[in-house]
Amino acid sequence: MISAHDNKAPADPAVIKEKILQKYPPKVARKRAKQILINEALENETPEITANVRTIPGIITMRGCTYAGCKGVIMGPTRDIVNITHGPIGCGFYSWLTRRNQTDASADGAENYMTYCFSTDMQDKDIIFGGEKKLEAAIQEAYDLFHPKGICIFATCPVGLIGDDIHAVAAKMKERLGDCNVFAFSCEGYKGVSQSAGHHIANNQVFRHLVGLNDEQKPGEYKINLLGEYNIGGDGFEIDRIFKKCGITNIATFSGNSSYDQFASAHTADLNAVMCHRSINYVADMLEVKYGVPWVKVNFIGAQSTAKSLRKIARYFDDPVLTERVEAVIAEELPPVMEEAAKVRPRTEGKTAMLFVGGSRAHHYQELFKELGMKTVSAGYEFAHRDDYEGRHVLPGLKVDADSRNIEEIEVNPDETRFNPRKSEEELAALEESGLAFKEYDGMIPDMEKGTMVIDDLNQYEAEKMVELLKPDIFCAGIKEKFSIQKLGIPMKQLHSYDSGGPYAGFKGAVNFYHEIDRLVNSKVWGYLKAPWQENPELSATYVWE
Ligand code: CFM
C-alpha cells in the first residue's frame, strides 16, 4: 500500500532504476534502460539518453499521436482557419479545445472558428468506397457557411490506410473557391512515433502554403515572432502584455492566439524568439535561411527566466531606448513577484517535484519550482528528441531512423527578392561575443542536479513505481496520469492543460503558479485518500438476476 509520507524514499537512483526495470522481460528492460538516465556530472559532457524512438507495444505510454501534434497542437490555436478533420468523429471531437488554448476574438469583425468542431464524420461505407467526395462536400459546405480565409484538412489513420488523396482534393477546392487558401496535412496518427512528427508535418505545410503571403509592413518597432507558445490557459496573453509594455511588437505567435494573417506576415519580423524548442525549432531555421531572420531561445516560464528572456531580446536589438524600457518593466514587475515567492517559500522549501510533460515544459517549469525552493527529483519528456535533453550540439551526430525519414524535410533556399539578413555576419559575431547565443539550446539535463533521474517516454507502470519509490510532494503530467497519481495519495498538477488554472507564464503567471503549488503541496487531503480496496480488501456483490 502506498501513501505519501510513510517511510523514507530510497535515495540511490541506481537502486530505483533497477527496481523499475526488474518487472520487465529482459529485452524490454534493455530498451527501457537506455531511456532512463541517472544524471551524472560528466566532465564537459552531457550524458546520453535514447529518445524519439517507438514505444514498445503493450506499454501504456503517455504519448499522443501524430494527428494530435498536427491538428491539435500546431493548427488548433489559430482562430480564423477552418480546421476540418477528415476521419471518424472521435478524432475531431477529442482534439477539440481539450488543450485549453485560448484566443482573443474580441476585435470588430474577428473570425473565430475554434468553438466549432469540423469533421467529415467518416463511416464504414466511406472507408470501403473512399472519402474524397465527402471531403470535397465538407470543404464546400464550410466555405459556403463561413467564407474563411483558409481551410485546413487533417488526415486521420483510416485516410492513410485507404489512400484518399487529400492534397489533390485541397488543390482542386482551392482553385474552385478562388479566395480561400485550402491545404492539407498527411498527419495520420500512426505517421510518426509521437505527436512530434505531427508538429513537423504541420509546420512544413504552414511554411509552404502560408508564411510569406503578406509583405505589408506592420506598424511598430522591435518586431519579433514568438515561436512555440500556444496560449494555454492564457500564457500568451500575459507574454503579450509584457511585450506591449516594453514596446516590443509581436508580429506572429506560432500559434497561440494566432490568426491567418499573422502567419502570412511572419517573415516581416526581425527576430524569432523560440519558446518551445521541440515543436518549432525547424521553423526558426527555415525563416532564417529563407528570409534572414535570426533566432534565439527564450523561456517565459519563471519570473527570473522572463526577465532574462526580455533582456536577450533587448540585447539583440541593441538600442538604448528598448534596453531602458525593458529594464524599467523588469524593475517594476519582478520585485513584487519575488516578494510573493518569498512569502510562499517557507511552505514549499525543500519539497520535491516530478515533471513528465511533452517536449519542453518538463524543463521550463523547473524554473518555477526553483523559485519556490523546490527540487525536481525526476523529469522527462513524452516525445522530445535528444537535442531537447542534451543540447543542440548533439544534432550533427543524430542517427536518422526509418521513422524520422518518414517525415518530410523541406528544402529551403534564400528567397530571391525577400532574403534580407537582419544583422551582418560581424554584428552577429559581436553579439555572440557579448554572450547572446544564436540558434542555441542546451537542453534539460545540464540544468538538473546530479543524481536526479531523467526518463524519456515514461509509462503508466513506471509513473506509479516512481511515485511509490521516491514519494514526491507533487507530480506534474497530463490528464491520463491525473487520477491514477491522485489515487496514490500524491497531489497532481496538469502541466498540459493546467487543469482549470493559468496563466503561469510571465510575471503575473508566476504568482498564479506559486499559489497553486502552495495550495497543492500543503493540502493534507491527498494523504488521507484510500481506495476502497485499500481500506477493505474484500469487495462483495450479488448478481442482479439472482
Ligand atoms: Fe511544446 Fe507545448 Fe510542450 Fe508540445 Fe504538447 Fe502542450 Fe506539452 Mo501538452 S507544443 S512540446 S505537443 S510546450 S500540448 S503547449 S503541454 S505535450 S510540453
Side-chain angles (χ1 to χ4, degrees):
M1 213 184 295
I2 304 157
S3 93
H5 304 284
D6 50 4
N7 52 38
K8 232 180 134 3
D12 186 352
V15 175
I16 292 167
K17 181 170 175 176
E18 208 188 296
K19 284 196 171 168
I20 286 175
L21 295 175
Q22 252 167 21
K23 192 97 180 211
Y24 289 128
K27 211 174 144 192
V28 176
R30 271 200 303 280
K31 280 194 170 166
R32 284 303 296 154
K34 292 183 195 149
Q35 286 170 280
I36 303 177
L37 181 142
I38 299 162
N39 196 14
E40 297 157 300
L42 299 176
E43 244 174 81
N44 300 323
E45 203 187 321
T46 313
E48 183 180 324
I49 192 163
T50 294
N52 191 31
V53 293
R54 291 182 191 184
T55 302
I56 300 158
I59 277 182
I60 305 175
T61 174
M62 289 177 175
R63 284 173 168 174
C65 69
T66 299
Y67 161 82
C70 180
K71 193 268 182 184
V73 174
I74 305 294
M75 298 312 288
T78 305
R79 66 177 161 268
D80 55 359
I81 294 177
V82 167
N83 290 323
I84 303 178
T85 297
H86 187 32
I89 195 65
C91 305
F93 184 78
Y94 286 104
S95 59
W96 179 37
L97 285 186
T98 46
R99 187 161 165 253
R100 297 187 68 245
N101 43 266
Q102 300 184 3
T103 201
D104 175 13
S106 62
D108 261 355
E111 298 157 59
N112 180 15
Y113 307 120
M114 272 164 53
T115 50
Y116 295 91
C117 174
F118 300 93
S119 167
T120 53
D121 186 19
M122 270 186 147
Q123 302 294 322
D124 308 14
K125 74 171 191 328
D126 305 314
I127 306 285
I128 296 163
F129 298 110
E132 290 179 10
K133 291 234 149 41
K134 203 170 191 186
L135 175 61
E136 204 177 303
I139 298 169
Q140 187 66 52
E141 188 183 345
Y143 179 80
D144 292 343
L145 281 170
F146 300 107
H147 290 277
K149 299 178 192 76
I151 296 179
C152 287
I153 313 301
F154 302 88
T156 55
C157 296
V159 171
L161 297 175
I162 65 175
D164 274 359
D165 190 345
I166 55 170
H167 301 284
V169 174
K172 178 175 160 191
M173 292 308 286
K174 181 177 174 172
E175 207 189 316
R176 186 190 296 168
L177 302 175
D179 61 351
C180 178
N181 191 357
V182 188
F183 55 102
F185 303 83
S186 290
C187 57
E188 290 85 354
Y190 58 76
K191 199 75 181 256
V193 301
S194 70
Q195 51 268 63
S196 168
H199 304 150
H200 210 143
I201 293 164
N203 285 317
N204 281 349
Q205 291 296 74
V206 167
F207 197 78
R208 188 183 265 143
H209 293 278
L210 190 40
V211 170
L213 291 184
N214 186 357
D215 282 332
E216 179 198 327
Q217 285 294 326
K218 304 275 170 202
E221 293 174 292
Y222 317 115
K223 293 175 188 172
I224 67 160
N225 296 317
L226 182 59
L227 303 187
E229 157 47 51
Y230 300 91
N231 204 20
I232 313 300
D235 276 355
F237 293 149
E238 164 65 359
I239 300 170
D240 278 341
R241 178 191 71 82
I242 299 170
F243 283 162
K244 212 169 165 196
K245 207 164 162 181
C246 294
I248 297 165
T249 309
N250 184 6
I251 298 290
T253 300
F254 282 53
S255 59
N257 191 30
S258 62
S259 63
Y260 181 92
D261 190 54
Q262 287 188 28
F263 290 124
S265 310
H267 63 302
T268 64
D270 295 317
L271 174 71
N272 286 312
V274 174
M275 176 103 167
C276 167
H277 176 266
R278 177 63 271 131
S279 60
I280 207 131
N281 65 86
Y282 29 81
V283 172
D285 283 337
M286 293 191 287
L287 280 164
E288 179 157 27
V289 172
K290 189 163 181 185
Y291 300 105
V293 189
W295 70 266
V296 294
K297 174 77 177 69
V298 293
N299 172 25
F300 290 99
I301 302 295
Q304 297 289 355
S305 310
T306 299
K308 212 167 128 190
S309 298
L310 291 172
R311 288 188 173 121
K312 256 189 172 179
I313 294 170
R315 176 117 50 95
Y316 169 81
F317 286 102
D318 203 16
D319 179 340
V321 178
L322 178 64
T323 307
E324 207 174 289
R325 257 193 256 155
V326 160
E327 287 306 327
V329 169
I330 293 172
E332 183 194 330
E333 300 226 0
L334 185 60
V337 180
M338 291 291 93
E339 257 168 51
E340 212 48 48
K343 268 191 232 158
V344 171
R345 222 175 149 122
R347 294 189 295 272
T348 50
E349 184 92 58
K351 294 201 184 285
T352 57
M354 283 187 189
L355 283 74
F356 292 94
V357 209
S360 78
R361 295 188 169 180
H363 181 198
H364 287 164
Y365 273 79
Q366 293 189 29
E367 295 298 321
L368 276 170
F369 282 113
K370 267 183 213 155
E371 287 169 358
L372 290 170
M374 290 177 64
K375 180 179 166 178
T376 303
V377 286
S378 184
Y381 300 126
E382 287 172 22
F383 52 75
H385 302 195
R386 274 185 60 202
D387 39 323
D388 306 291
Y389 283 108
E390 301 168 50
R392 284 177 65 90
H393 65 271
V394 303
L395 279 175
L398 282 192
K399 273 190 242 104
V400 183
D401 60 14
D403 290 311
S404 313
R405 216 167 280 132
N406 208 11
I407 312 305
E408 184 191 21
E409 282 284 345
I410 53 179
E411 206 195 304
V412 179
N413 294 305
D415 191 274
E416 273 174 30
T417 52
R418 297 177 294 175
F419 176 75
N420 164 29
R422 304 310 202 265
K423 300 260 179 194
S424 68
E425 291 287 325
E426 297 76 52
E427 283 170 323
L428 287 176
L431 284 168
E432 287 261 5
E433 188 75 7
S434 78
L436 181 63
F438 290 96
K439 295 166 83 121
E440 196 45 75
Y441 177 46
D442 291 336
M444 175 167 82
I445 293 175
D447 273 348
M448 290 187 69
E449 283 179 31
K450 191 170 184 267
T452 52
M453 295 178 75
V454 181
I455 310 182
D456 182 63
D457 188 15
L458 189 83
N459 57 54
Q460 170 89 43
Y461 150 72
E462 289 169 7
E464 292 190 9
K465 200 76 188 162
M466 286 294 284
V467 166
E468 179 192 328
L469 294 170
L470 275 166
K471 300 182 177 57
D473 293 294
I474 191 163
F475 191 97
C476 302
I479 188 66
K480 298 196 288 297
E481 296 74 55
K482 175 110 187 149
F483 301 101
S484 66
I485 298 295
Q486 283 181 173
K487 282 177 194 164
L488 300 176
I490 301 286
M492 198 283 178
K493 176 70 191 167
Q494 290 192 66
L495 280 192
H496 299 256
S497 69
Y498 299 164
D499 295 296
S500 51
Y504 298 133
F507 296 121
K508 289 190 177 164
V511 174
N512 290 339
F513 196 75
Y514 303 154
H515 290 158
E516 180 77 358
I517 296 305
D518 180 17
R519 189 176 67 78
L520 280 164
V521 299
N522 289 304
S523 167
K524 298 240 184 318
V525 69
W526 307 107
Y528 296 142
L529 268 184
K530 289 267 183 293
W533 61 88
Q534 288 171 318
E535 286 197 321
N536 181 4
E538 236 173 89
L539 287 177
S540 62
T542 51
Y543 292 111
V544 281
W545 59 81
E546 261 182 359

mmCIF file of all heavy atoms in Angstrom, residues 228-242:
data_model
loop_
_atom_site.group_PDB
_atom_site.id
_atom_site.type_symbol
_atom_site.label_atom_id
_atom_site.label_comp_id
_atom_site.label_asym_id
_atom_site.label_seq_id
_atom_site.Cartn_x
_atom_site.Cartn_y
_atom_site.Cartn_z
ATOM 1 N N GLY A 228 6.503 28.835 -30.853
ATOM 2 C CA GLY A 228 6.380 27.765 -29.862
ATOM 3 C C GLY A 228 5.745 28.209 -28.562
ATOM 4 O O GLY A 228 6.157 27.821 -27.481
ATOM 5 N N GLU A 229 4.733 29.073 -28.661
ATOM 6 C CA GLU A 229 3.950 29.475 -27.476
ATOM 7 C C GLU A 229 2.485 29.327 -27.894
ATOM 8 O O GLU A 229 2.066 29.902 -28.894
ATOM 9 C CB GLU A 229 4.320 30.909 -27.072
ATOM 10 C CG GLU A 229 3.285 31.662 -26.253
ATOM 11 C CD GLU A 229 2.706 30.897 -25.091
ATOM 12 O OE1 GLU A 229 3.464 30.348 -24.275
ATOM 13 O OE2 GLU A 229 1.465 30.817 -25.009
ATOM 14 N N TYR A 230 1.723 28.555 -27.131
ATOM 15 C CA TYR A 230 0.407 28.130 -27.608
ATOM 16 C C TYR A 230 -0.770 28.688 -26.808
ATOM 17 O O TYR A 230 -1.897 28.227 -26.945
ATOM 18 C CB TYR A 230 0.379 26.602 -27.707
ATOM 19 C CG TYR A 230 1.445 26.128 -28.682
ATOM 20 C CD1 TYR A 230 2.737 25.808 -28.254
ATOM 21 C CD2 TYR A 230 1.192 26.093 -30.047
ATOM 22 C CE1 TYR A 230 3.729 25.443 -29.153
ATOM 23 C CE2 TYR A 230 2.175 25.722 -30.957
ATOM 24 C CZ TYR A 230 3.439 25.401 -30.502
ATOM 25 O OH TYR A 230 4.416 25.048 -31.406
ATOM 26 N N ASN A 231 -0.504 29.646 -25.957
ATOM 27 C CA ASN A 231 -1.557 30.337 -25.200
ATOM 28 C C ASN A 231 -2.444 29.408 -24.385
ATOM 29 O O ASN A 231 -3.663 29.600 -24.302
ATOM 30 C CB ASN A 231 -2.417 31.208 -26.131
ATOM 31 C CG ASN A 231 -3.094 32.352 -25.384
ATOM 32 O OD1 ASN A 231 -2.662 32.733 -24.293
ATOM 33 N ND2 ASN A 231 -4.164 32.885 -25.936
ATOM 34 N N ILE A 232 -1.826 28.401 -23.785
ATOM 35 C CA ILE A 232 -2.580 27.524 -22.892
ATOM 36 C C ILE A 232 -2.921 28.320 -21.632
ATOM 37 O O ILE A 232 -2.050 28.980 -21.049
ATOM 38 C CB ILE A 232 -1.763 26.270 -22.503
ATOM 39 C CG1 ILE A 232 -1.112 25.611 -23.726
ATOM 40 C CG2 ILE A 232 -2.619 25.282 -21.697
ATOM 41 C CD1 ILE A 232 -2.036 25.140 -24.795
ATOM 42 N N GLY A 233 -4.174 28.284 -21.240
ATOM 43 C CA GLY A 233 -4.587 28.993 -20.024
ATOM 44 C C GLY A 233 -4.299 30.485 -20.064
ATOM 45 O O GLY A 233 -4.277 31.144 -19.035
ATOM 46 N N GLY A 234 -4.047 31.029 -21.241
ATOM 47 C CA GLY A 234 -3.804 32.468 -21.378
ATOM 48 C C GLY A 234 -2.341 32.888 -21.210
ATOM 49 O O GLY A 234 -2.050 34.079 -21.052
ATOM 50 N N ASP A 235 -1.403 31.941 -21.263
ATOM 51 C CA ASP A 235 0.025 32.280 -21.158
ATOM 52 C C ASP A 235 0.435 33.358 -22.167
ATOM 53 O O ASP A 235 1.151 34.304 -21.834
ATOM 54 C CB ASP A 235 0.900 31.043 -21.426
ATOM 55 C CG ASP A 235 1.078 30.176 -20.186
ATOM 56 O OD1 ASP A 235 0.608 30.586 -19.108
ATOM 57 O OD2 ASP A 235 1.679 29.093 -20.316
ATOM 58 N N GLY A 236 -0.027 33.182 -23.396
ATOM 59 C CA GLY A 236 0.349 34.106 -24.469
ATOM 60 C C GLY A 236 -0.159 35.523 -24.208
ATOM 61 O O GLY A 236 0.495 36.503 -24.561
ATOM 62 N N PHE A 237 -1.324 35.617 -23.586
ATOM 63 C CA PHE A 237 -1.872 36.950 -23.266
ATOM 64 C C PHE A 237 -0.932 37.689 -22.313
ATOM 65 O O PHE A 237 -0.688 38.879 -22.450
ATOM 66 C CB PHE A 237 -3.256 36.835 -22.605
ATOM 67 C CG PHE A 237 -4.338 36.295 -23.513
ATOM 68 C CD1 PHE A 237 -5.389 35.552 -22.990
ATOM 69 C CD2 PHE A 237 -4.316 36.543 -24.880
ATOM 70 C CE1 PHE A 237 -6.395 35.064 -23.809
ATOM 71 C CE2 PHE A 237 -5.319 36.058 -25.712
ATOM 72 C CZ PHE A 237 -6.367 35.311 -25.172
ATOM 73 N N GLU A 238 -0.444 36.954 -21.301
ATOM 74 C CA GLU A 238 0.451 37.576 -20.317
ATOM 75 C C GLU A 238 1.783 37.984 -20.968
ATOM 76 O O GLU A 238 2.307 39.071 -20.708
ATOM 77 C CB GLU A 238 0.672 36.609 -19.137
ATOM 78 C CG GLU A 238 1.845 36.934 -18.222
ATOM 79 C CD GLU A 238 1.731 38.243 -17.445
ATOM 80 O OE1 GLU A 238 0.739 38.966 -17.598
ATOM 81 O OE2 GLU A 238 2.688 38.554 -16.686
ATOM 82 N N ILE A 239 2.289 37.126 -21.833
ATOM 83 C CA ILE A 239 3.555 37.464 -22.503
ATOM 84 C C ILE A 239 3.346 38.681 -23.411
ATOM 85 O O ILE A 239 4.171 39.602 -23.428
ATOM 86 C CB ILE A 239 4.105 36.253 -23.293
ATOM 87 C CG1 ILE A 239 4.353 35.064 -22.351
ATOM 88 C CG2 ILE A 239 5.396 36.623 -24.029
ATOM 89 C CD1 ILE A 239 4.673 33.752 -23.047
ATOM 90 N N ASP A 240 2.235 38.704 -24.126
ATOM 91 C CA ASP A 240 1.942 39.853 -24.998
ATOM 92 C C ASP A 240 1.774 41.152 -24.194
ATOM 93 O O ASP A 240 2.156 42.227 -24.646
ATOM 94 C CB ASP A 240 0.675 39.596 -25.835
ATOM 95 C CG ASP A 240 0.978 38.753 -27.068
ATOM 96 O OD1 ASP A 240 2.162 38.674 -27.461
ATOM 97 O OD2 ASP A 240 0.044 38.168 -27.641
ATOM 98 N N ARG A 241 1.194 41.023 -23.015
ATOM 99 C CA ARG A 241 1.047 42.211 -22.143
ATOM 100 C C ARG A 241 2.437 42.789 -21.818
ATOM 101 O O ARG A 241 2.656 44.003 -21.906
ATOM 102 C CB ARG A 241 0.341 41.808 -20.834
ATOM 103 C CG ARG A 241 0.172 42.954 -19.828
ATOM 104 C CD ARG A 241 -0.291 42.460 -18.461
ATOM 105 N NE ARG A 241 0.745 41.727 -17.740
ATOM 106 C CZ ARG A 241 1.730 42.293 -17.030
ATOM 107 N NH1 ARG A 241 1.817 43.607 -16.948
ATOM 108 N NH2 ARG A 241 2.628 41.550 -16.405
ATOM 109 N N ILE A 242 3.364 41.884 -21.508
ATOM 110 C CA ILE A 242 4.719 42.335 -21.148
ATOM 111 C C ILE A 242 5.427 42.939 -22.370
ATOM 112 O O ILE A 242 6.048 43.995 -22.283
ATOM 113 C CB ILE A 242 5.537 41.174 -20.540
ATOM 114 C CG1 ILE A 242 4.851 40.667 -19.271
ATOM 115 C CG2 ILE A 242 6.967 41.613 -20.246
ATOM 116 C CD1 ILE A 242 5.421 39.370 -18.721
#
